[in-house]
Amino acid sequence: LAMENMFGTPASTMPLYRLDDSGIAPTPLPNSHVAPEHRIYYHQHKSAHRFLAGSALRRMTERFTRVLSRELHHDAAIGPDDDWVQLPDLYTFWKSRIFHAAVHALFGPYLTLLNPGFEQDFWNYVDAIPTLMMGLPRWMIPRAYAARDRVFTAVKTWHRFARAHSDYRKNGPDDPDWDKYWGSAWLKVRQQFGQDSGWMDEDALAAEDVALLVA
């Protein structure tokens, strides 16, 4: 339901999720006959475990911290050196800077560079998620769908650009774990298992990464 309603996975791709009864372990569960390339939950789990633990997570965290620090130094350079700066809303200040640092560390710079206004589009979409989860048709909640569509369009634009400039299949242990087109090699791995499944079109691939973005 989350993939279909919240993240917009096309109906044509939903069997990939609904029919996968193989579990998340390297060995499929007994009586499961799902093809290896269709084991979507295993591939999601395996790639998350690889990049959200140990040295890979440490490097991602360090990258996030560097970008956040750079943004804060930029803010400090704008105002007078020794004066307090009055902020109308500290939450909004931090939300924006942490968003940019997190997106840059995980997805690289081009998701936002190619899509001016992406941050506001994203928060509009997040605000629309409870409405989207109701599963109502598009004609009843057009603004909620429009908010999701703008985020989808941005992610698809970035996917096309990244595929044109960097080989997503170069994501092995000896390859760089980050590049400026894909960001973390985790996104390359996700693109690869999505493409290899044979079930995912551009919209389905975008839905996978929109889900990661929201998470």
Side-chain angles (χ1 to χ4, degrees):
L1 286 175
M3 291 308 299
E4 194 165 27
N5 294 348
M6 188 187 302
F7 304 125
T9 301
S12 59
T13 307
M14 286 309 301
L16 179 67
Y17 299 92
R18 291 200 174 104
L19 299 179
D20 184 6
D21 59 0
S22 65
I24 62 173
T27 301
L29 291 171
N31 302 317
S32 175
H33 303 288
V34 177
E37 66 272 19
H38 295 160
R39 297 190 64 206
I40 184 67
Y41 301 120
Y42 165 67
H43 290 299
Q44 288 175 338
H45 178 78
K46 178 184 176 182
S47 63
H49 186 268
R50 173 182 167 187
F51 289 100
L52 295 181
S55 60
L57 178 61
R58 183 169 61 253
R59 288 191 295 270
M60 189 185 300
T61 304
E62 289 169 350
R63 188 171 293 110
F64 166 82
T65 305
R66 283 198 303 271
V67 177
L68 181 59
S69 178
R70 187 170 68 231
E71 291 224 354
L72 294 175
H73 278 293
H74 175 72
D75 291 330
I78 292 174
D81 289 342
D82 300 319
D83 294 342
W84 286 96
V85 176
Q86 204 81 26
L87 293 174
D89 185 348
L90 184 62
Y91 173 73
T92 300
F93 172 85
W94 273 110
K95 182 174 78 168
S96 178
R97 280 140 191 86
I98 289 174
F99 174 83
H100 280 281
V103 169
H104 185 104
L106 191 54
F107 296 85
Y110 282 105
L111 178 54
T112 53
L113 287 175
L114 293 168
N115 301 285
F118 179 72
E119 180 185 359
Q120 189 56 55
D121 288 340
F122 174 77
W123 293 121
N124 290 341
Y125 162 59
V126 169
D127 288 343
I129 282 176
T131 304
L132 290 166
M133 281 302 291
M134 296 169 68
L136 298 172
R138 183 178 286 263
W139 63 268
M140 291 186 69
I141 49 171
R143 289 186 181 180
Y145 279 99
R148 190 180 71 187
D149 289 347
R150 287 192 293 272
V151 172
F152 253 62
T153 298
V155 171
K156 288 192 288 186
T157 297
W158 164 62
H159 276 172
R160 294 184 199 116
F161 181 83
R163 284 194 297 264
H165 290 85
S166 178
D167 184 357
Y168 61 83
R169 294 186 181 277
K170 292 183 178 179
N171 57 50
D174 297 327
D175 294 309
D177 67 349
W178 195 90
D179 73 33
K180 63 182 181 179
Y181 299 109
W182 285 104
S184 169
W186 187 14
L187 277 297
K188 291 183 176 182
V189 171
R190 290 168 59 82
Q191 184 76 195
Q192 180 171 335
F193 71 64
Q195 296 273 7
D196 289 351
S197 73
W199 279 90
M200 291 194 181
D201 60 10
E202 278 196 324
D203 285 335
L205 291 166
E208 270 284 315
D209 284 349
V210 169
L212 179 59
L213 183 69
V214 170

